[in-house]
Structure formats: C-alpha cells, structure tokens
Amino acid sequence: MKFNKETDYAIRMTLFCAKYHSKILSGVEIVQECKVPEILGKSILTKLSSNGILESIKGKNGGFIYSHPPKSLTLYSVIEKFEALEINSCIEKKETCLYKFGDCVVREKMGLLKAIIIDQLQNIFIEDLIEEQFKKYNN
C-alpha cells in the first residue's frame, strides 16, 4: 500500500494546523510552510475543510483553523478522505477474485491485513503525533 502525494500533503497540512490549535492560519502560510505546490495545496485545503478536518474562516482575516477537541481526530480520519485504502480489489468485490474456486485464503488474509491497518490508523491521534514531534525535536 502506498499513499498518494495528495494524502501525504493532507497529513502534513493537518499536522501543521493542529500544532497551532485554534489559531487561524492563512492558506498561503499553510501551503508554504508545508512545502506543497500552491494549486494542489489550495485544493487539499478545500477538501480538508469540506470534510470537517479543518474549519474554513471567511473574510479579511480568514483562513483555516484546526479546532477539534484533543484525541478526537485520528490519522485514519484524514487518510480516508483521500484514499480508498484498498489492498486488493478482491477484498472489496469478491467477484474480482482470479481464483474462482470459492473462498480464497489469500483474500481472507488480505482482508485481515486491511482490518489491522485500519485499526492501527484509528488509534493514532493527531494530537499524539504533535506531542511526539515536539518531544523529538525539543530534546
């Protein structure tokens, strides 16, 4: 499984905004600080705000704000807005299985692997990542 660039940027942008919890940040500042191409960055910010990850504030002093309560947003919450998290197409649609002899053991294992990955991502909170990052760079 490999996340696309958009997902990678979305995670970085979310972490950057979460670091400044409840502070309004301009879109330009977020895009520049996260080193995201401008047009793609604006598109990602729109997607993050339309999906409730960031809040969009309109007006002269507007921008984006991360206002979630601590431990309420997980890494999975961000990733699922940009990725299908598909390991193998046969997990989602049994009829796509190349082995047409009933229940495929590979399909079962791939389904289990997907469930484990999702479970792990659902237990990684944005706030925990911010704390870990702070400790790592301030020790």
Side-chain angles (χ1 to χ4, degrees), residues 87-133:
I87 293 177
N88 196 331
S89 61
C90 71
I91 297 169
E92 310 308 322
K93 295 179 183 175
K94 189 175 181 178
E95 59 273 7
T96 64
C97 183
L98 299 176
Y99 305 102
K100 305 289 184 195
F101 54 83
D103 289 329
C104 175
V105 292
V106 174
R107 180 176 184 269
E108 288 176 22
K109 298 301 178 191
M110 292 295 174
L112 178 61
L113 180 59
K114 179 180 177 178
I116 290 168
I117 290 169
I118 289 172
D119 180 64
Q120 289 297 305
L121 291 171
Q122 288 174 330
N123 286 293
I124 300 172
F125 293 91
I126 298 298
E127 285 77 11
D128 291 342
L129 292 172
I130 298 298
E131 287 176 25
E132 285 180 42
Q133 189 175 36

mmCIF file of all heavy atoms in Angstrom, residues 87-133:
data_model
loop_
_atom_site.group_PDB
_atom_site.id
_atom_site.type_symbol
_atom_site.label_atom_id
_atom_site.label_comp_id
_atom_site.label_asym_id
_atom_site.label_seq_id
_atom_site.Cartn_x
_atom_site.Cartn_y
_atom_site.Cartn_z
ATOM 1 N N ILE A 87 -6.239 -2.731 -0.501
ATOM 2 C CA ILE A 87 -5.043 -3.558 -0.594
ATOM 3 C C ILE A 87 -5.110 -4.425 -1.842
ATOM 4 O O ILE A 87 -4.147 -4.581 -2.568
ATOM 5 C CB ILE A 87 -4.881 -4.425 0.674
ATOM 6 C CG1 ILE A 87 -4.586 -3.509 1.862
ATOM 7 C CG2 ILE A 87 -3.790 -5.462 0.498
ATOM 8 C CD1 ILE A 87 -4.476 -4.200 3.169
ATOM 9 N N ASN A 88 -6.282 -4.981 -2.082
ATOM 10 C CA ASN A 88 -6.501 -5.815 -3.255
ATOM 11 C C ASN A 88 -7.972 -5.698 -3.632
ATOM 12 O O ASN A 88 -8.837 -5.714 -2.766
ATOM 13 C CB ASN A 88 -6.127 -7.273 -2.943
ATOM 14 C CG ASN A 88 -5.968 -8.105 -4.176
ATOM 15 O OD1 ASN A 88 -6.596 -7.849 -5.194
ATOM 16 N ND2 ASN A 88 -5.136 -9.120 -4.100
ATOM 17 N N SER A 89 -8.253 -5.590 -4.906
ATOM 18 C CA SER A 89 -9.634 -5.374 -5.343
ATOM 19 C C SER A 89 -10.568 -6.508 -4.933
ATOM 20 O O SER A 89 -11.760 -6.297 -4.748
ATOM 21 C CB SER A 89 -9.694 -5.150 -6.852
ATOM 22 O OG SER A 89 -9.205 -6.281 -7.535
ATOM 23 N N CYS A 90 -10.037 -7.702 -4.750
ATOM 24 C CA CYS A 90 -10.901 -8.833 -4.398
ATOM 25 C C CYS A 90 -11.489 -8.708 -2.995
ATOM 26 O O CYS A 90 -12.491 -9.338 -2.687
ATOM 27 C CB CYS A 90 -10.148 -10.156 -4.543
ATOM 28 S SG CYS A 90 -8.874 -10.437 -3.307
ATOM 29 N N ILE A 91 -10.864 -7.877 -2.147
ATOM 30 C CA ILE A 91 -11.403 -7.685 -0.798
ATOM 31 C C ILE A 91 -12.721 -6.929 -0.875
ATOM 32 O O ILE A 91 -13.679 -7.240 -0.172
ATOM 33 C CB ILE A 91 -10.400 -6.915 0.091
ATOM 34 C CG1 ILE A 91 -9.126 -7.731 0.265
ATOM 35 C CG2 ILE A 91 -11.013 -6.591 1.450
ATOM 36 C CD1 ILE A 91 -7.995 -6.960 0.893
ATOM 37 N N GLU A 92 -12.764 -5.950 -1.739
ATOM 38 C CA GLU A 92 -13.950 -5.122 -1.880
ATOM 39 C C GLU A 92 -15.036 -5.821 -2.698
ATOM 40 O O GLU A 92 -16.219 -5.677 -2.413
ATOM 41 C CB GLU A 92 -13.596 -3.789 -2.554
ATOM 42 C CG GLU A 92 -12.407 -3.054 -1.957
ATOM 43 C CD GLU A 92 -12.464 -2.850 -0.451
ATOM 44 O OE1 GLU A 92 -13.556 -2.583 0.081
ATOM 45 O OE2 GLU A 92 -11.410 -2.970 0.199
ATOM 46 N N LYS A 93 -14.630 -6.554 -3.738
ATOM 47 C CA LYS A 93 -15.590 -7.226 -4.625
ATOM 48 C C LYS A 93 -15.123 -8.661 -4.853
ATOM 49 O O LYS A 93 -14.195 -8.905 -5.611
ATOM 50 C CB LYS A 93 -15.686 -6.496 -5.962
ATOM 51 C CG LYS A 93 -16.239 -5.103 -5.854
ATOM 52 C CD LYS A 93 -16.291 -4.441 -7.208
ATOM 53 C CE LYS A 93 -16.789 -3.018 -7.083
ATOM 54 N NZ LYS A 93 -16.734 -2.315 -8.356
ATOM 55 N N LYS A 94 -15.777 -9.574 -4.207
ATOM 56 C CA LYS A 94 -15.396 -10.981 -4.282
ATOM 57 C C LYS A 94 -15.353 -11.494 -5.721
ATOM 58 O O LYS A 94 -14.507 -12.308 -6.075
ATOM 59 C CB LYS A 94 -16.363 -11.817 -3.444
ATOM 60 C CG LYS A 94 -15.960 -13.250 -3.269
ATOM 61 C CD LYS A 94 -16.914 -13.958 -2.322
ATOM 62 C CE LYS A 94 -16.506 -15.394 -2.132
ATOM 63 N NZ LYS A 94 -17.377 -16.090 -1.182
ATOM 64 N N GLU A 95 -16.232 -10.963 -6.561
ATOM 65 C CA GLU A 95 -16.299 -11.454 -7.947
ATOM 66 C C GLU A 95 -15.062 -11.098 -8.768
ATOM 67 O O GLU A 95 -14.866 -11.630 -9.852
ATOM 68 C CB GLU A 95 -17.568 -10.970 -8.647
ATOM 69 C CG GLU A 95 -17.746 -9.465 -8.724
ATOM 70 C CD GLU A 95 -18.438 -8.869 -7.491
ATOM 71 O OE1 GLU A 95 -18.672 -9.576 -6.510
ATOM 72 O OE2 GLU A 95 -18.720 -7.677 -7.548
ATOM 73 N N THR A 96 -14.202 -10.211 -8.266
ATOM 74 C CA THR A 96 -12.968 -9.883 -8.994
ATOM 75 C C THR A 96 -11.839 -10.869 -8.698
ATOM 76 O O THR A 96 -10.768 -10.775 -9.291
ATOM 77 C CB THR A 96 -12.484 -8.447 -8.663
ATOM 78 O OG1 THR A 96 -12.148 -8.386 -7.279
ATOM 79 C CG2 THR A 96 -13.528 -7.424 -9.024
ATOM 80 N N CYS A 97 -12.075 -11.806 -7.804
ATOM 81 C CA CYS A 97 -11.054 -12.795 -7.449
ATOM 82 C C CYS A 97 -10.690 -13.635 -8.676
ATOM 83 O O CYS A 97 -11.563 -14.138 -9.388
ATOM 84 C CB CYS A 97 -11.561 -13.701 -6.334
ATOM 85 S SG CYS A 97 -10.329 -14.902 -5.777
ATOM 86 N N LEU A 98 -9.404 -13.759 -8.906
ATOM 87 C CA LEU A 98 -8.932 -14.540 -10.050
ATOM 88 C C LEU A 98 -9.063 -16.038 -9.823
ATOM 89 O O LEU A 98 -9.037 -16.821 -10.763
ATOM 90 C CB LEU A 98 -7.469 -14.191 -10.343
ATOM 91 C CG LEU A 98 -7.211 -12.737 -10.708
ATOM 92 C CD1 LEU A 98 -5.715 -12.492 -10.866
ATOM 93 C CD2 LEU A 98 -7.934 -12.366 -11.992
ATOM 94 N N TYR A 99 -9.202 -16.427 -8.556
ATOM 95 C CA TYR A 99 -9.324 -17.846 -8.221
ATOM 96 C C TYR A 99 -10.795 -18.147 -7.987
ATOM 97 O O TYR A 99 -11.345 -17.889 -6.936
ATOM 98 C CB TYR A 99 -8.500 -18.170 -6.976
ATOM 99 C CG TYR A 99 -7.064 -17.753 -7.134
ATOM 100 C CD1 TYR A 99 -6.585 -16.596 -6.540
ATOM 101 C CD2 TYR A 99 -6.190 -18.499 -7.906
ATOM 102 C CE1 TYR A 99 -5.264 -16.198 -6.700
ATOM 103 C CE2 TYR A 99 -4.875 -18.113 -8.076
ATOM 104 C CZ TYR A 99 -4.416 -16.958 -7.473
ATOM 105 O OH TYR A 99 -3.115 -16.572 -7.634
ATOM 106 N N LYS A 100 -11.429 -18.701 -8.957
ATOM 107 C CA LYS A 100 -12.881 -18.886 -8.935
ATOM 108 C C LYS A 100 -13.300 -20.200 -8.280
ATOM 109 O O LYS A 100 -14.220 -20.853 -8.703
ATOM 110 C CB LYS A 100 -13.439 -18.846 -10.374
ATOM 111 C CG LYS A 100 -13.081 -17.595 -11.139
ATOM 112 C CD LYS A 100 -13.830 -16.398 -10.618
ATOM 113 C CE LYS A 100 -13.520 -15.189 -11.486
ATOM 114 N NZ LYS A 100 -13.893 -13.945 -10.931
ATOM 115 N N PHE A 101 -12.592 -20.570 -7.218
ATOM 116 C CA PHE A 101 -12.924 -21.838 -6.596
ATOM 117 C C PHE A 101 -13.458 -21.690 -5.169
ATOM 118 O O PHE A 101 -13.182 -22.471 -4.286
ATOM 119 C CB PHE A 101 -11.699 -22.776 -6.590
ATOM 120 C CG PHE A 101 -10.470 -22.194 -5.983
ATOM 121 C CD1 PHE A 101 -10.275 -22.197 -4.621
ATOM 122 C CD2 PHE A 101 -9.494 -21.631 -6.785
ATOM 123 C CE1 PHE A 101 -9.136 -21.661 -4.063
ATOM 124 C CE2 PHE A 101 -8.344 -21.105 -6.239
ATOM 125 C CZ PHE A 101 -8.166 -21.114 -4.866
ATOM 126 N N GLY A 102 -14.237 -20.673 -4.932
ATOM 127 C CA GLY A 102 -14.833 -20.497 -3.614
ATOM 128 C C GLY A 102 -14.082 -19.474 -2.797
ATOM 129 O O GLY A 102 -13.509 -18.540 -3.333
ATOM 130 N N ASP A 103 -14.093 -19.674 -1.506
ATOM 131 C CA ASP A 103 -13.443 -18.718 -0.610
ATOM 132 C C ASP A 103 -11.927 -18.852 -0.693
ATOM 133 O O ASP A 103 -11.352 -19.878 -0.347
ATOM 134 C CB ASP A 103 -13.911 -18.939 0.827
ATOM 135 C CG ASP A 103 -15.356 -18.516 1.028
ATOM 136 O OD1 ASP A 103 -15.786 -17.582 0.327
ATOM 137 O OD2 ASP A 103 -16.041 -19.113 1.874
ATOM 138 N N CYS A 104 -11.303 -17.794 -1.150
ATOM 139 C CA CYS A 104 -9.854 -17.763 -1.347
ATOM 140 C C CYS A 104 -9.152 -17.422 -0.027
ATOM 141 O O CYS A 104 -9.504 -16.443 0.628
ATOM 142 C CB CYS A 104 -9.523 -16.727 -2.420
ATOM 143 S SG CYS A 104 -7.772 -16.467 -2.675
ATOM 144 N N VAL A 105 -8.159 -18.210 0.343
ATOM 145 C CA VAL A 105 -7.438 -17.957 1.595
ATOM 146 C C VAL A 105 -6.615 -16.670 1.510
ATOM 147 O O VAL A 105 -6.429 -15.984 2.511
ATOM 148 C CB VAL A 105 -6.535 -19.146 1.995
ATOM 149 C CG1 VAL A 105 -7.387 -20.350 2.367
ATOM 150 C CG2 VAL A 105 -5.539 -19.483 0.918
ATOM 151 N N VAL A 106 -6.144 -16.336 0.323
ATOM 152 C CA VAL A 106 -5.384 -15.093 0.161
ATOM 153 C C VAL A 106 -6.310 -13.901 0.401
ATOM 154 O O VAL A 106 -5.945 -12.949 1.092
ATOM 155 C CB VAL A 106 -4.723 -15.011 -1.239
ATOM 156 C CG1 VAL A 106 -4.056 -13.667 -1.449
ATOM 157 C CG2 VAL A 106 -3.732 -16.145 -1.432
ATOM 158 N N ARG A 107 -7.518 -13.978 -0.134
ATOM 159 C CA ARG A 107 -8.498 -12.906 0.068
ATOM 160 C C ARG A 107 -8.790 -12.728 1.556
ATOM 161 O O ARG A 107 -8.868 -11.604 2.056
ATOM 162 C CB ARG A 107 -9.783 -13.232 -0.691
ATOM 163 C CG ARG A 107 -10.866 -12.193 -0.547
ATOM 164 C CD ARG A 107 -12.091 -12.569 -1.425
ATOM 165 N NE ARG A 107 -13.087 -11.547 -1.358
ATOM 166 C CZ ARG A 107 -14.084 -11.540 -0.462
ATOM 167 N NH1 ARG A 107 -14.212 -12.529 0.407
ATOM 168 N NH2 ARG A 107 -14.960 -10.557 -0.453
ATOM 169 N N GLU A 108 -8.944 -13.819 2.271
ATOM 170 C CA GLU A 108 -9.186 -13.752 3.718
ATOM 171 C C GLU A 108 -8.042 -13.043 4.437
ATOM 172 O O GLU A 108 -8.266 -12.184 5.282
ATOM 173 C CB GLU A 108 -9.342 -15.166 4.304
ATOM 174 C CG GLU A 108 -10.630 -15.848 3.946
ATOM 175 C CD GLU A 108 -10.660 -17.282 4.475
ATOM 176 O OE1 GLU A 108 -9.922 -17.595 5.431
ATOM 177 O OE2 GLU A 108 -11.427 -18.090 3.922
ATOM 178 N N LYS A 109 -6.811 -13.412 4.108
ATOM 179 C CA LYS A 109 -5.639 -12.815 4.761
ATOM 180 C C LYS A 109 -5.485 -11.343 4.403
ATOM 181 O O LYS A 109 -5.104 -10.523 5.234
ATOM 182 C CB LYS A 109 -4.356 -13.584 4.411
ATOM 183 C CG LYS A 109 -4.349 -15.026 4.857
ATOM 184 C CD LYS A 109 -4.522 -15.134 6.361
ATOM 185 C CE LYS A 109 -4.551 -16.591 6.770
ATOM 186 N NZ LYS A 109 -4.958 -16.783 8.145
ATOM 187 N N MET A 110 -5.771 -11.002 3.147
ATOM 188 C CA MET A 110 -5.696 -9.599 2.733
ATOM 189 C C MET A 110 -6.755 -8.768 3.455
ATOM 190 O O MET A 110 -6.514 -7.630 3.832
ATOM 191 C CB MET A 110 -5.863 -9.464 1.216
ATOM 192 C CG MET A 110 -4.719 -10.019 0.419
ATOM 193 S SD MET A 110 -3.222 -9.056 0.757
ATOM 194 C CE MET A 110 -2.052 -10.018 -0.152
ATOM 195 N N GLY A 111 -7.932 -9.350 3.640
ATOM 196 C CA GLY A 111 -8.987 -8.671 4.393
ATOM 197 C C GLY A 111 -8.582 -8.439 5.838
ATOM 198 O O GLY A 111 -8.829 -7.373 6.407
ATOM 199 N N LEU A 112 -7.937 -9.434 6.426
ATOM 200 C CA LEU A 112 -7.442 -9.308 7.804
ATOM 201 C C LEU A 112 -6.369 -8.231 7.889
ATOM 202 O O LEU A 112 -6.380 -7.392 8.796
ATOM 203 C CB LEU A 112 -6.889 -10.655 8.283
ATOM 204 C CG LEU A 112 -6.287 -10.684 9.686
ATOM 205 C CD1 LEU A 112 -7.337 -10.316 10.738
ATOM 206 C CD2 LEU A 112 -5.703 -12.054 9.981
ATOM 207 N N LEU A 113 -5.464 -8.216 6.925
ATOM 208 C CA LEU A 113 -4.410 -7.213 6.890
ATOM 209 C C LEU A 113 -5.002 -5.807 6.787
ATOM 210 O O LEU A 113 -4.578 -4.888 7.498
ATOM 211 C CB LEU A 113 -3.472 -7.478 5.714
ATOM 212 C CG LEU A 113 -2.315 -6.514 5.524
ATOM 213 C CD1 LEU A 113 -1.409 -6.487 6.754
ATOM 214 C CD2 LEU A 113 -1.518 -6.879 4.284
ATOM 215 N N LYS A 114 -5.991 -5.635 5.933
ATOM 216 C CA LYS A 114 -6.644 -4.328 5.794
ATOM 217 C C LYS A 114 -7.273 -3.902 7.123
ATOM 218 O O LYS A 114 -7.142 -2.749 7.543
ATOM 219 C CB LYS A 114 -7.707 -4.371 4.697
ATOM 220 C CG LYS A 114 -8.431 -3.062 4.534
ATOM 221 C CD LYS A 114 -9.478 -3.121 3.446
ATOM 222 C CE LYS A 114 -10.227 -1.791 3.371
ATOM 223 N NZ LYS A 114 -11.218 -1.784 2.312
ATOM 224 N N ALA A 115 -7.943 -4.827 7.785
ATOM 225 C CA ALA A 115 -8.576 -4.516 9.076
ATOM 226 C C ALA A 115 -7.537 -4.099 10.123
ATOM 227 O O ALA A 115 -7.769 -3.167 10.894
ATOM 228 C CB ALA A 115 -9.379 -5.722 9.565
ATOM 229 N N ILE A 116 -6.391 -4.760 10.126
ATOM 230 C CA ILE A 116 -5.319 -4.423 11.073
ATOM 231 C C ILE A 116 -4.775 -3.026 10.792
ATOM 232 O O ILE A 116 -4.577 -2.224 11.708
ATOM 233 C CB ILE A 116 -4.190 -5.478 11.024
ATOM 234 C CG1 ILE A 116 -4.686 -6.804 11.615
ATOM 235 C CG2 ILE A 116 -2.942 -4.989 11.749
ATOM 236 C CD1 ILE A 116 -3.774 -7.989 11.367
ATOM 237 N N ILE A 117 -4.557 -2.723 9.525
ATOM 238 C CA ILE A 117 -4.035 -1.407 9.145
ATOM 239 C C ILE A 117 -5.021 -0.313 9.555
ATOM 240 O O ILE A 117 -4.635 0.691 10.164
ATOM 241 C CB ILE A 117 -3.731 -1.347 7.634
ATOM 242 C CG1 ILE A 117 -2.522 -2.226 7.309
ATOM 243 C CG2 ILE A 117 -3.486 0.092 7.180
ATOM 244 C CD1 ILE A 117 -2.291 -2.444 5.824
ATOM 245 N N ILE A 118 -6.287 -0.505 9.264
ATOM 246 C CA ILE A 118 -7.296 0.492 9.623
ATOM 247 C C ILE A 118 -7.364 0.659 11.130
ATOM 248 O O ILE A 118 -7.412 1.782 11.647
ATOM 249 C CB ILE A 118 -8.669 0.138 9.017
ATOM 250 C CG1 ILE A 118 -8.627 0.343 7.498
ATOM 251 C CG2 ILE A 118 -9.793 0.964 9.651
ATOM 252 C CD1 ILE A 118 -9.860 -0.143 6.762
ATOM 253 N N ASP A 119 -7.333 -0.447 11.863
ATOM 254 C CA ASP A 119 -7.367 -0.389 13.330
ATOM 255 C C ASP A 119 -6.184 0.417 13.867
ATOM 256 O O ASP A 119 -6.348 1.255 14.758
ATOM 257 C CB ASP A 119 -7.360 -1.802 13.920
ATOM 258 C CG ASP A 119 -7.399 -1.781 15.428
ATOM 259 O OD1 ASP A 119 -8.413 -1.303 15.993
ATOM 260 O OD2 ASP A 119 -6.406 -2.215 16.061
ATOM 261 N N GLN A 120 -5.005 0.173 13.332
ATOM 262 C CA GLN A 120 -3.818 0.914 13.782
ATOM 263 C C GLN A 120 -3.963 2.409 13.476
ATOM 264 O O GLN A 120 -3.656 3.251 14.326
ATOM 265 C CB GLN A 120 -2.554 0.358 13.123
ATOM 266 C CG GLN A 120 -2.142 -1.011 13.632
ATOM 267 C CD GLN A 120 -1.783 -0.979 15.109
ATOM 268 O OE1 GLN A 120 -0.936 -0.200 15.535
ATOM 269 N NE2 GLN A 120 -2.444 -1.819 15.883
ATOM 270 N N LEU A 121 -4.408 2.742 12.281
ATOM 271 C CA LEU A 121 -4.575 4.151 11.900
ATOM 272 C C LEU A 121 -5.632 4.843 12.752
ATOM 273 O O LEU A 121 -5.529 6.032 13.033
ATOM 274 C CB LEU A 121 -4.925 4.264 10.417
ATOM 275 C CG LEU A 121 -3.813 3.882 9.435
ATOM 276 C CD1 LEU A 121 -4.360 3.832 8.005
ATOM 277 C CD2 LEU A 121 -2.640 4.843 9.529
ATOM 278 N N GLN A 122 -6.646 4.099 13.171
ATOM 279 C CA GLN A 122 -7.704 4.667 14.017
ATOM 280 C C GLN A 122 -7.226 4.891 15.454
ATOM 281 O O GLN A 122 -7.908 5.554 16.225
ATOM 282 C CB GLN A 122 -8.936 3.756 14.020
ATOM 283 C CG GLN A 122 -9.692 3.787 12.716
ATOM 284 C CD GLN A 122 -10.830 2.787 12.664
ATOM 285 O OE1 GLN A 122 -10.791 1.730 13.289
ATOM 286 N NE2 GLN A 122 -11.846 3.110 11.890
ATOM 287 N N ASN A 123 -6.079 4.357 15.794
ATOM 288 C CA ASN A 123 -5.533 4.528 17.139
ATOM 289 C C ASN A 123 -4.332 5.466 17.178
ATOM 290 O O ASN A 123 -3.631 5.539 18.187
ATOM 291 C CB ASN A 123 -5.171 3.163 17.743
ATOM 292 C CG ASN A 123 -6.419 2.411 18.154
ATOM 293 O OD1 ASN A 123 -7.114 2.821 19.079
ATOM 294 N ND2 ASN A 123 -6.729 1.344 17.454
ATOM 295 N N ILE A 124 -4.100 6.162 16.083
ATOM 296 C CA ILE A 124 -3.047 7.179 16.037
ATOM 297 C C ILE A 124 -3.754 8.526 15.978
ATOM 298 O O ILE A 124 -4.352 8.874 14.963
ATOM 299 C CB ILE A 124 -2.124 6.997 14.810
ATOM 300 C CG1 ILE A 124 -1.446 5.630 14.854
ATOM 301 C CG2 ILE A 124 -1.090 8.124 14.754
ATOM 302 C CD1 ILE A 124 -0.681 5.290 13.587
ATOM 303 N N PHE A 125 -3.704 9.258 17.088
ATOM 304 C CA PHE A 125 -4.390 10.536 17.176
ATOM 305 C C PHE A 125 -3.482 11.667 16.724
ATOM 306 O O PHE A 125 -2.272 11.657 16.982
ATOM 307 C CB PHE A 125 -4.888 10.783 18.606
ATOM 308 C CG PHE A 125 -5.980 9.833 19.011
ATOM 309 C CD1 PHE A 125 -5.676 8.635 19.639
ATOM 310 C CD2 PHE A 125 -7.302 10.129 18.739
ATOM 311 C CE1 PHE A 125 -6.678 7.743 19.994
ATOM 312 C CE2 PHE A 125 -8.315 9.243 19.085
ATOM 313 C CZ PHE A 125 -7.997 8.051 19.716
ATOM 314 N N ILE A 126 -4.073 12.645 16.055
ATOM 315 C CA ILE A 126 -3.321 13.796 15.555
ATOM 316 C C ILE A 126 -2.565 14.470 16.697
ATOM 317 O O ILE A 126 -1.386 14.804 16.559
ATOM 318 C CB ILE A 126 -4.269 14.793 14.836
ATOM 319 C CG1 ILE A 126 -4.925 14.138 13.611
ATOM 320 C CG2 ILE A 126 -3.542 16.084 14.479
ATOM 321 C CD1 ILE A 126 -3.971 13.688 12.516
ATOM 322 N N GLU A 127 -3.218 14.643 17.832
ATOM 323 C CA GLU A 127 -2.566 15.289 18.977
ATOM 324 C C GLU A 127 -1.343 14.498 19.457
ATOM 325 O O GLU A 127 -0.345 15.092 19.856
ATOM 326 C CB GLU A 127 -3.558 15.487 20.130
ATOM 327 C CG GLU A 127 -4.545 16.609 19.897
ATOM 328 C CD GLU A 127 -5.683 16.236 18.936
ATOM 329 O OE1 GLU A 127 -5.846 15.045 18.591
ATOM 330 O OE2 GLU A 127 -6.392 17.156 18.504
ATOM 331 N N ASP A 128 -1.422 13.169 19.422
ATOM 332 C CA ASP A 128 -0.283 12.344 19.827
ATOM 333 C C ASP A 128 0.892 12.548 18.880
ATOM 334 O O ASP A 128 2.054 12.593 19.314
ATOM 335 C CB ASP A 128 -0.665 10.866 19.864
ATOM 336 C CG ASP A 128 -1.629 10.544 20.994
ATOM 337 O OD1 ASP A 128 -1.743 11.352 21.943
ATOM 338 O OD2 ASP A 128 -2.284 9.482 20.928
ATOM 339 N N LEU A 129 0.607 12.681 17.595
ATOM 340 C CA LEU A 129 1.674 12.920 16.618
ATOM 341 C C LEU A 129 2.345 14.271 16.870
ATOM 342 O O LEU A 129 3.572 14.388 16.785
ATOM 343 C CB LEU A 129 1.128 12.849 15.196
ATOM 344 C CG LEU A 129 0.662 11.475 14.730
ATOM 345 C CD1 LEU A 129 -0.027 11.577 13.380
ATOM 346 C CD2 LEU A 129 1.822 10.498 14.671
ATOM 347 N N ILE A 130 1.545 15.278 17.203
ATOM 348 C CA ILE A 130 2.090 16.604 17.512
ATOM 349 C C ILE A 130 2.992 16.525 18.746
ATOM 350 O O ILE A 130 4.102 17.067 18.757
ATOM 351 C CB ILE A 130 0.957 17.637 17.736
ATOM 352 C CG1 ILE A 130 0.121 17.806 16.480
ATOM 353 C CG2 ILE A 130 1.513 18.974 18.222
ATOM 354 C CD1 ILE A 130 0.861 18.319 15.278
ATOM 355 N N GLU A 131 2.532 15.833 19.782
ATOM 356 C CA GLU A 131 3.332 15.680 21.007
ATOM 357 C C GLU A 131 4.642 14.939 20.726
ATOM 358 O O GLU A 131 5.710 15.344 21.203
ATOM 359 C CB GLU A 131 2.535 14.927 22.073
ATOM 360 C CG GLU A 131 1.436 15.736 22.701
ATOM 361 C CD GLU A 131 0.598 14.933 23.676
ATOM 362 O OE1 GLU A 131 1.093 13.920 24.231
ATOM 363 O OE2 GLU A 131 -0.568 15.308 23.883
ATOM 364 N N GLU A 132 4.558 13.863 19.956
ATOM 365 C CA GLU A 132 5.766 13.098 19.619
ATOM 366 C C GLU A 132 6.744 13.943 18.820
ATOM 367 O O GLU A 132 7.953 13.903 19.060
ATOM 368 C CB GLU A 132 5.400 11.844 18.813
ATOM 369 C CG GLU A 132 4.784 10.741 19.628
ATOM 370 C CD GLU A 132 4.437 9.531 18.776
ATOM 371 O OE1 GLU A 132 5.243 9.149 17.895
ATOM 372 O OE2 GLU A 132 3.353 8.958 18.989
ATOM 373 N N GLN A 133 6.213 14.698 17.884
ATOM 374 C CA GLN A 133 7.059 15.557 17.062
ATOM 375 C C GLN A 133 7.733 16.621 17.929
ATOM 376 O O GLN A 133 8.930 16.893 17.781
ATOM 377 C CB GLN A 133 6.214 16.221 15.974
ATOM 378 C CG GLN A 133 7.010 16.959 14.937
ATOM 379 C CD GLN A 133 6.117 17.482 13.826
ATOM 380 O OE1 GLN A 133 4.985 17.901 14.072
ATOM 381 N NE2 GLN A 133 6.609 17.444 12.607
#
